[in-house]
Amino acid sequence: MGVLAILTNIADLWLVRSAMLARTPTAKTLKAESKKDAVVPPGAMGAKQIDPAARGAVERFQEGLLDPGLWGDDLASRSDAIVIGPAQGEVTRGKKDIKKLWEKRMDAKMRAATNGGITAAVTGDGQLAWVSAPITRVAEDEEPLPLRAFAVFEKSGDSWKLIALHESAAL
């Protein structure tokens, strides 16, 4: 089970602002099922609401779908960054390991596109934003893989930088 959550603290009370929960199949199961028509984009019909304050994070999300090197640069610049999924045990943390993961993705010419509505919001202090959408990820020599992406961005000056990415599939 993969879990990624955004919590906010107001007067010493922690509130769950957003959460992504996903069962993670084994890589073997995911590969076998993706060859069938059994993989569907999780939550494709979910709420489609974008907080205007999250617009910059949404733009960075969309840019990273087409040019994943942007996301790789963001993630590999932080020692506390994390990438989860979509298969069981696929958890990558830290600059060095994320850089290796992204090199593999770039070598495979991995790209993604949304195939449903985008949902996005910001925390009360405006420093974190989350963006979620059903996507289809494609790479050379692989079947297209419908996923739900849940990305957390941190405000960095006038821009947003990706700090966490959780990808999940529904079989």
Side-chain angles (χ1 to χ4, degrees), residues 42-118:
M45 299 308 292
K48 299 169 187 100
Q49 182 176 349
I50 298 175
D51 181 335
R55 181 66 55 201
V58 171
E59 290 171 5
R60 185 70 172 184
F61 178 82
Q62 292 171 317
E63 290 168 356
L65 292 172
L66 296 174
D67 181 3
L70 296 174
W71 285 1
D73 291 345
D74 287 354
L75 291 163
S77 71
R78 298 180 58 107
S79 58
D80 60 348
I82 187 167
V83 178
I84 303 169
Q88 189 175 48
E90 290 183 348
V91 178
T92 308
R93 294 180 180 94
K95 294 178 182 183
K96 184 179 175 183
D97 290 338
I98 288 175
K99 185 175 180 181
K100 283 184 198 176
L101 171 67
W102 237 259
E103 286 173 357
K104 288 179 188 175
R105 287 184 172 206
M106 298 304 288
D107 289 346
K109 296 182 173 75
M110 192 172 288
R111 300 285 182 271
T114 58
N115 57 5
I118 294 175

Coordinates of all heavy atoms in Angstrom, one line a residue, residues 42-118:
P42 N -7.0 5.3 -12.4 CA -7.7 5.4 -11.2 C -8.3 6.8 -11.0 O -7.6 7.8 -11.2 CB -6.7 5.2 -10.1 CG -5.5 4.6 -10.8 CD -5.6 5.0 -12.3
G43 N -9.5 6.9 -10.7 CA -10.2 8.2 -10.4 C -10.3 9.1 -11.6 O -10.3 10.3 -11.4
A44 N -10.4 8.5 -12.8 CA -10.5 9.4 -13.9 C -11.7 10.3 -13.9 O -11.6 11.4 -14.4 CB -10.5 8.5 -15.2
M45 N -12.7 9.9 -13.2 CA -13.9 10.8 -13.1 C -13.9 11.5 -11.8 O -15.0 12.0 -11.4 CB -15.1 9.9 -13.3 CG -15.2 9.1 -14.6 SD -15.0 10.2 -16.0 CE -16.5 11.2 -16.0
G46 N -12.8 11.7 -11.1 CA -12.8 12.4 -9.9 C -13.0 13.9 -10.0 O -13.2 14.4 -11.1
A47 N -13.0 14.6 -8.9 CA -13.3 16.0 -8.9 C -12.2 16.7 -9.7 O -11.0 16.3 -9.7 CB -13.2 16.5 -7.5
K48 N -12.6 17.7 -10.5 CA -11.7 18.4 -11.3 C -11.8 19.9 -10.9 O -12.5 20.7 -11.5 CB -12.1 18.3 -12.8 CG -12.0 16.8 -13.3 CD -12.7 16.7 -14.7 CE -12.7 15.2 -15.0 NZ -14.0 14.7 -14.8
Q49 N -11.0 20.2 -9.9 CA -11.0 21.6 -9.4 C -9.6 22.1 -9.2 O -8.8 21.4 -8.6 CB -11.8 21.6 -8.1 CG -11.9 23.0 -7.5 CD -12.8 23.0 -6.2 OE1 -13.4 22.0 -5.9 NE2 -12.7 24.1 -5.5
I50 N -9.3 23.2 -9.7 CA -8.0 23.8 -9.6 C -8.1 25.1 -8.8 O -8.7 26.1 -9.2 CB -7.3 24.1 -11.0 CG1 -7.2 22.7 -11.7 CG2 -6.0 24.8 -10.8 CD1 -6.6 22.9 -13.1
D51 N -7.4 25.1 -7.6 CA -7.3 26.3 -6.8 C -6.5 27.3 -7.6 O -5.4 27.0 -8.1 CB -6.6 26.0 -5.5 CG -6.5 27.1 -4.5 OD1 -6.5 28.3 -5.0 OD2 -6.4 26.8 -3.3
P52 N -7.0 28.6 -7.8 CA -6.2 29.5 -8.6 C -4.8 29.7 -8.0 O -3.9 30.0 -8.8 CB -7.0 30.8 -8.5 CG -8.4 30.4 -8.2 CD -8.3 29.1 -7.4
A53 N -4.6 29.6 -6.7 CA -3.3 29.8 -6.1 C -2.3 28.6 -6.5 O -1.1 28.8 -6.4 CB -3.4 29.8 -4.6
A54 N -2.9 27.5 -7.1 CA -2.0 26.4 -7.5 C -1.7 26.4 -9.0 O -1.1 25.5 -9.5 CB -2.8 25.1 -7.1
R55 N -2.1 27.4 -9.7 CA -2.0 27.5 -11.1 C -0.5 27.3 -11.5 O -0.2 26.5 -12.5 CB -2.5 28.8 -11.6 CG -2.4 29.0 -13.1 CD -3.2 28.2 -14.0 NE -4.6 28.2 -13.6 CZ -5.5 27.2 -14.0 NH1 -5.1 26.2 -14.7 NH2 -6.7 27.3 -13.6
G56 N 0.5 27.9 -10.8 CA 1.9 27.7 -11.2 C 2.3 26.2 -11.0 O 3.1 25.7 -11.8
A57 N 1.8 25.6 -10.0 CA 2.2 24.2 -9.8 C 1.6 23.3 -10.9 O 2.2 22.3 -11.3 CB 1.7 23.7 -8.4
V58 N 0.3 23.6 -11.3 CA -0.3 22.9 -12.4 C 0.5 23.0 -13.7 O 0.7 22.1 -14.4 CB -1.8 23.3 -12.6 CG1 -2.4 22.7 -13.8 CG2 -2.6 23.0 -11.3
E59 N 0.9 24.2 -13.9 CA 1.8 24.5 -15.1 C 3.0 23.7 -15.1 O 3.4 23.0 -16.1 CB 2.1 26.0 -15.3 CG 0.8 26.8 -15.7 CD 1.1 28.3 -15.6 OE1 2.2 28.7 -15.3 OE2 0.1 29.0 -15.8
R60 N 3.7 23.6 -13.9 CA 4.9 22.8 -13.8 C 4.6 21.3 -13.9 O 5.4 20.6 -14.5 CB 5.6 23.1 -12.4 CG 6.9 22.4 -12.2 CD 8.0 23.0 -13.1 NE 9.3 22.5 -12.7 CZ 10.4 22.9 -13.3 NH1 10.4 23.9 -14.1 NH2 11.5 22.4 -12.9
F61 N 3.5 20.9 -13.4 CA 3.1 19.5 -13.6 C 2.9 19.2 -15.1 O 3.4 18.2 -15.6 CB 1.7 19.3 -12.8 CG 1.1 17.9 -13.0 CD1 1.6 16.9 -12.1 CD2 0.1 17.7 -13.9 CE1 1.0 15.6 -12.2 CE2 -0.4 16.4 -14.0 CZ 0.0 15.4 -13.1
Q62 N 2.2 20.0 -15.8 CA 2.0 19.8 -17.2 C 3.3 19.8 -18.0 O 3.5 19.0 -18.9 CB 0.9 20.8 -17.8 CG -0.4 20.6 -17.2 CD -1.4 21.7 -17.5 OE1 -1.1 22.9 -17.5 NE2 -2.7 21.3 -17.8
E63 N 4.2 20.8 -17.7 CA 5.4 20.8 -18.4 C 6.2 19.5 -18.1 O 6.9 19.0 -19.0 CB 6.2 22.0 -17.9 CG 5.7 23.4 -18.3 CD 6.3 24.5 -17.5 OE1 7.2 24.3 -16.6 OE2 6.0 25.7 -17.8
G64 N 6.2 19.0 -16.9 CA 6.9 17.8 -16.6 C 6.4 16.5 -17.2 O 7.1 15.6 -17.4
L65 N 5.1 16.6 -17.6 CA 4.6 15.4 -18.3 C 5.2 15.3 -19.7 O 5.5 14.2 -20.1 CB 3.0 15.6 -18.5 CG 2.2 15.5 -17.2 CD1 0.7 15.8 -17.5 CD2 2.3 14.1 -16.6
L66 N 5.4 16.4 -20.3 CA 6.0 16.4 -21.7 C 7.5 16.4 -21.7 O 8.1 15.8 -22.6 CB 5.5 17.7 -22.4 CG 4.0 17.7 -22.7 CD1 3.6 19.0 -23.4 CD2 3.6 16.5 -23.6
D67 N 8.1 17.0 -20.6 CA 9.5 17.0 -20.5 C 9.9 16.5 -19.1 O 10.1 17.3 -18.2 CB 10.1 18.4 -20.7 CG 11.6 18.5 -20.6 OD1 12.3 17.5 -20.4 OD2 12.1 19.7 -20.7
P68 N 9.9 15.2 -18.9 CA 10.2 14.7 -17.6 C 11.5 15.1 -17.0 O 11.7 14.9 -15.7 CB 10.0 13.2 -17.7 CG 10.0 12.9 -19.2 CD 9.7 14.2 -19.9
G69 N 12.4 15.6 -17.8 CA 13.7 16.0 -17.2 C 13.5 17.2 -16.2 O 14.3 17.3 -15.3
L70 N 12.5 18.0 -16.4 CA 12.2 19.0 -15.5 C 11.9 18.5 -14.1 O 12.4 19.0 -13.1 CB 11.0 19.9 -16.0 CG 11.2 20.6 -17.3 CD1 9.9 21.3 -17.7 CD2 12.3 21.7 -17.1
W71 N 11.0 17.4 -14.1 CA 10.7 16.8 -12.8 C 11.9 16.2 -12.2 O 12.2 16.2 -11.0 CB 9.6 15.8 -13.0 CG 8.2 16.3 -13.2 CD1 7.8 17.6 -13.2 CD2 7.1 15.5 -13.3 NE1 6.5 17.7 -13.4 CE2 6.0 16.4 -13.5 CE3 6.8 14.1 -13.4 CZ2 4.7 16.0 -13.7 CZ3 5.5 13.7 -13.6 CH2 4.5 14.6 -13.7
G72 N 12.7 15.5 -13.0 CA 13.9 14.8 -12.5 C 14.9 15.8 -11.9 O 15.5 15.6 -10.9
D73 N 15.1 17.0 -12.5 CA 15.9 18.0 -12.0 C 15.4 18.5 -10.6 O 16.2 18.7 -9.7 CB 16.0 19.2 -13.0 CG 16.8 18.9 -14.2 OD1 17.5 17.8 -14.3 OD2 16.7 19.6 -15.2
D74 N 14.1 18.7 -10.6 CA 13.5 19.2 -9.3 C 13.8 18.2 -8.2 O 14.3 18.5 -7.1 CB 12.0 19.4 -9.4 CG 11.6 20.6 -10.2 OD1 12.5 21.4 -10.6 OD2 10.4 20.8 -10.4
L75 N 13.4 16.9 -8.5 CA 13.5 15.8 -7.5 C 15.0 15.6 -7.1 O 15.3 15.4 -5.9 CB 12.8 14.6 -8.0 CG 11.3 14.7 -8.1 CD1 10.8 13.5 -9.0 CD2 10.6 14.6 -6.8
A76 N 15.9 15.5 -8.0 CA 17.3 15.2 -7.8 C 18.0 16.3 -7.1 O 19.1 16.1 -6.6 CB 18.0 14.8 -9.1
S77 N 17.4 17.4 -6.9 CA 18.1 18.6 -6.3 C 17.8 18.5 -4.7 O 18.4 19.4 -4.0 CB 17.6 19.9 -6.8 OG 16.3 20.2 -6.5
R78 N 17.0 17.6 -4.3 CA 16.6 17.6 -2.8 C 16.9 16.2 -2.2 O 16.6 15.2 -2.8 CB 15.2 17.9 -2.7 CG 14.7 19.2 -3.2 CD 13.3 19.4 -3.0 NE 12.9 19.3 -1.6 CZ 12.5 20.3 -0.8 NH1 12.5 21.5 -1.3 NH2 12.2 20.1 0.5
S79 N 17.5 16.2 -1.0 CA 17.8 15.0 -0.4 C 16.5 14.4 0.3 O 16.5 13.2 0.5 CB 18.9 15.2 0.7 OG 18.4 16.2 1.6
D80 N 15.5 15.2 0.4 CA 14.3 14.7 1.0 C 13.2 14.4 0.0 O 12.0 14.1 0.4 CB 13.7 15.7 2.1 CG 13.4 17.0 1.5 OD1 13.8 17.3 0.3 OD2 12.8 17.8 2.2
A81 N 13.5 14.4 -1.3 CA 12.5 14.1 -2.3 C 12.2 12.6 -2.3 O 13.0 11.8 -1.9 CB 13.0 14.5 -3.7
I82 N 11.0 12.2 -2.9 CA 10.6 10.8 -2.9 C 9.7 10.6 -4.2 O 9.0 11.5 -4.6 CB 9.8 10.4 -1.6 CG1 9.5 8.9 -1.6 CG2 8.5 11.2 -1.5 CD1 9.1 8.4 -0.3
V83 N 9.9 9.4 -4.7 CA 9.1 8.9 -5.9 C 8.5 7.6 -5.5 O 9.3 6.7 -5.1 CB 9.9 8.8 -7.2 CG1 9.0 8.3 -8.3 CG2 10.5 10.2 -7.5
I84 N 7.2 7.4 -5.5 CA 6.6 6.2 -5.1 C 5.8 5.6 -6.3 O 5.1 6.3 -7.0 CB 5.6 6.4 -4.0 CG1 6.2 7.1 -2.8 CG2 4.9 5.1 -3.6 CD1 5.3 7.6 -1.7
G85 N 6.0 4.3 -6.5 CA 5.2 3.5 -7.5 C 5.7 3.6 -8.9 O 6.7 4.1 -9.2
P86 N 4.8 3.0 -9.7 CA 3.5 2.4 -9.5 C 3.5 1.0 -9.0 O 2.5 0.5 -8.5 CB 2.8 2.5 -10.9 CG 3.9 2.3 -11.8 CD 5.1 3.0 -11.2
A87 N 4.6 0.3 -9.0 CA 4.6 -1.1 -8.6 C 5.1 -1.2 -7.1 O 5.7 -0.3 -6.6 CB 5.5 -2.0 -9.5
Q88 N 4.7 -2.4 -6.5 CA 5.1 -2.7 -5.2 C 6.6 -2.6 -5.0 O 7.4 -3.0 -5.8 CB 4.6 -4.1 -4.8 CG 4.8 -4.5 -3.4 CD 4.1 -5.9 -3.2 OE1 4.4 -6.8 -4.0 NE2 3.3 -6.0 -2.2
G89 N 7.0 -1.9 -3.9 CA 8.5 -1.8 -3.6 C 9.2 -0.7 -4.4 O 10.4 -0.5 -4.1
E90 N 8.5 0.0 -5.3 CA 9.1 1.0 -6.0 C 9.0 2.4 -5.2 O 8.1 3.1 -5.4 CB 8.5 1.2 -7.4 CG 8.8 0.0 -8.3 CD 8.2 0.2 -9.7 OE1 7.4 1.1 -10.0 OE2 8.6 -0.6 -10.6
V91 N 10.0 2.5 -4.4 CA 10.1 3.8 -3.6 C 11.5 4.2 -3.7 O 12.5 3.5 -3.4 CB 9.8 3.5 -2.1 CG1 10.0 4.8 -1.3 CG2 8.4 3.0 -1.9
T92 N 11.7 5.4 -4.2 CA 13.0 6.0 -4.5 C 13.1 7.3 -3.7 O 12.3 8.2 -3.8 CB 13.2 6.3 -6.0 OG1 12.9 5.1 -6.7 CG2 14.6 6.6 -6.3
R93 N 14.2 7.4 -2.9 CA 14.5 8.6 -2.1 C 15.9 9.1 -2.4 O 16.8 8.3 -2.6 CB 14.4 8.2 -0.6 CG 13.0 7.8 -0.1 CD 13.1 7.5 1.4 NE 11.9 7.0 1.9 CZ 11.5 5.8 2.0 NH1 12.3 4.8 1.6 NH2 10.3 5.5 2.5
G94 N 16.0 10.4 -2.2 CA 17.3 11.0 -2.2 C 17.9 11.3 -3.6 O 17.5 10.8 -4.6
K95 N 18.8 12.3 -3.6 CA 19.3 12.8 -4.8 C 19.9 11.7 -5.7 O 19.6 11.6 -6.9 CB 20.4 13.8 -4.5 CG 19.9 15.1 -3.8 CD 21.1 16.0 -3.5 CE 20.7 17.2 -2.8 NZ 21.8 18.1 -2.6
K96 N 20.8 10.9 -5.2 CA 21.5 9.9 -6.0 C 20.6 8.9 -6.6 O 20.7 8.6 -7.8 CB 22.6 9.3 -5.1 CG 23.5 8.3 -5.9 CD 24.5 7.7 -4.9 CE 25.3 6.6 -5.6 NZ 26.3 6.0 -4.6
D97 N 19.7 8.3 -5.8 CA 18.8 7.3 -6.3 C 17.8 7.8 -7.3 O 17.4 7.2 -8.3 CB 18.2 6.5 -5.2 CG 19.1 5.7 -4.4 OD1 20.2 5.3 -4.9 OD2 18.9 5.4 -3.2
I98 N 17.3 9.0 -7.0 CA 16.3 9.6 -7.9 C 17.0 10.0 -9.3 O 16.4 9.8 -10.3 CB 15.6 10.9 -7.3 CG1 14.7 10.4 -6.2 CG2 14.9 11.7 -8.3 CD1 14.0 11.5 -5.4
K99 N 18.2 10.4 -9.2 CA 18.9 10.7 -10.4 C 19.1 9.5 -11.3 O 18.9 9.5 -12.5 CB 20.3 11.3 -10.1 CG 21.1 11.8 -11.4 CD 22.4 12.4 -11.0 CE 23.0 12.9 -12.3 NZ 24.3 13.5 -12.1
K100 N 19.4 8.3 -10.7 CA 19.5 7.1 -11.4 C 18.2 6.7 -12.0 O 18.1 6.2 -13.2 CB 20.0 5.9 -10.5 CG 21.4 5.9 -10.1 CD 21.7 4.7 -9.3 CE 23.0 4.9 -8.5 NZ 23.2 3.7 -7.6
L101 N 17.1 6.8 -11.2 CA 15.7 6.5 -11.7 C 15.4 7.3 -12.9 O 14.9 6.9 -13.9 CB 14.7 6.7 -10.6 CG 13.2 6.6 -11.0 CD1 12.9 5.2 -11.4 CD2 12.3 7.1 -9.9
W102 N 15.7 8.6 -12.8 CA 15.4 9.5 -13.9 C 16.2 9.3 -15.1 O 15.7 9.5 -16.3 CB 15.4 11.0 -13.4 CG 14.1 11.6 -13.7 CD1 13.7 12.4 -14.7 CD2 12.9 11.4 -13.0 NE1 12.4 12.7 -14.7 CE2 11.8 12.1 -13.6 CE3 12.5 10.6 -11.9 CZ2 10.5 12.1 -13.2 CZ3 11.2 10.7 -11.4 CH2 10.2 11.4 -12.1
E103 N 17.4 8.9 -15.0 CA 18.3 8.5 -16.1 C 17.6 7.4 -16.9 O 17.6 7.4 -18.1 CB 19.7 8.2 -15.7 CG 20.5 9.4 -15.3 CD 21.9 9.1 -14.7 OE1 22.2 7.9 -14.5 OE2 22.6 10.1 -14.4
K104 N 17.1 6.4 -16.1 CA 16.5 5.2 -16.8 C 15.2 5.7 -17.5 O 14.9 5.3 -18.6 CB 16.1 4.2 -15.7 CG 17.2 3.4 -15.2 CD 16.7 2.4 -14.1 CE 17.9 1.7 -13.4 NZ 17.4 0.9 -12.3
R105 N 14.4 6.6 -16.9 CA 13.2 7.1 -17.5 C 13.6 7.9 -18.8 O 12.9 7.8 -19.8 CB 12.4 8.0 -16.6 CG 11.7 7.2 -15.5 CD 10.9 8.1 -14.6 NE 10.0 7.3 -13.7 CZ 8.9 7.6 -13.2 NH1 8.4 8.8 -13.5 NH2 8.2 6.9 -12.4
M106 N 14.6 8.7 -18.7 CA 15.0 9.5 -19.9 C 15.5 8.6 -21.0 O 15.2 8.8 -22.2 CB 16.0 10.5 -19.5 CG 15.5 11.6 -18.5 SD 14.1 12.4 -19.0 CE 14.7 13.5 -20.3
D107 N 16.3 7.5 -20.7 CA 16.8 6.6 -21.7 C 15.7 5.8 -22.3 O 15.8 5.5 -23.5 CB 17.8 5.6 -21.0 CG 19.1 6.2 -20.6 OD1 19.4 7.3 -21.1 OD2 19.8 5.5 -19.8
A108 N 14.6 5.6 -21.6 CA 13.4 4.9 -22.2 C 12.5 5.9 -22.9 O 11.4 5.5 -23.4 CB 12.6 4.2 -21.1
K109 N 12.9 7.2 -23.0 CA 12.1 8.2 -23.6 C 10.6 8.2 -23.0 O 9.7 8.3 -23.8 CB 12.1 8.0 -25.1 CG 13.4 8.2 -25.7 CD 13.4 8.0 -27.2 CE 14.7 8.3 -27.9 NZ 15.7 7.4 -27.8
M110 N 10.6 8.2 -21.7 CA 9.3 8.2 -21.0 C 8.6 9.5 -21.1 O 9.3 10.6 -20.9 CB 9.5 7.7 -19.6 CG 8.2 7.4 -18.9 SD 8.5 6.7 -17.2 CE 9.1 5.1 -17.7
R111 N 7.3 9.5 -21.4 CA 6.5 10.7 -21.4 C 5.2 10.4 -20.9 O 4.8 9.2 -20.8 CB 6.3 11.3 -22.8 CG 7.6 11.6 -23.6 CD 8.2 13.0 -23.0 NE 9.4 13.4 -23.8 CZ 10.6 13.0 -23.5 NH1 10.8 12.2 -22.5 NH2 11.6 13.5 -24.1
A112 N 4.3 11.4 -20.6 CA 3.0 11.1 -20.1 C 2.1 12.3 -20.5 O 2.5 13.3 -20.9 CB 3.0 11.0 -18.6
A113 N 0.8 11.9 -20.5 CA -0.2 12.9 -20.9 C -1.5 12.7 -20.0 O -1.7 11.6 -19.6 CB -0.6 12.8 -22.4
T114 N -2.1 13.8 -19.7 CA -3.4 13.6 -18.9 C -4.4 13.0 -19.7 O -4.5 13.2 -20.9 CB -3.9 15.0 -18.3 OG1 -4.1 15.8 -19.4 CG2 -2.9 15.6 -17.4
N115 N -5.3 12.2 -19.1 CA -6.4 11.6 -19.8 C -7.7 11.8 -18.9 O -8.6 10.9 -18.9 CB -6.2 10.2 -20.2 CG -5.9 9.3 -19.0 OD1 -5.9 9.7 -17.8 ND2 -5.5 8.0 -19.3
G116 N -7.7 12.9 -18.2 CA -8.9 13.3 -17.4 C -8.6 14.6 -16.7 O -7.5 15.2 -17.0
G117 N -9.4 15.0 -15.9 CA -9.3 16.3 -15.3 C -8.2 16.4 -14.2 O -7.9 15.4 -13.6
I118 N -7.7 17.6 -14.0 CA -6.6 17.9 -13.1 C -7.3 18.5 -11.8 O -8.2 19.3 -11.9 CB -5.6 18.8 -13.6 CG1 -4.8 18.2 -14.8 CG2 -4.6 19.3 -12.5 CD1 -3.8 19.1 -15.5

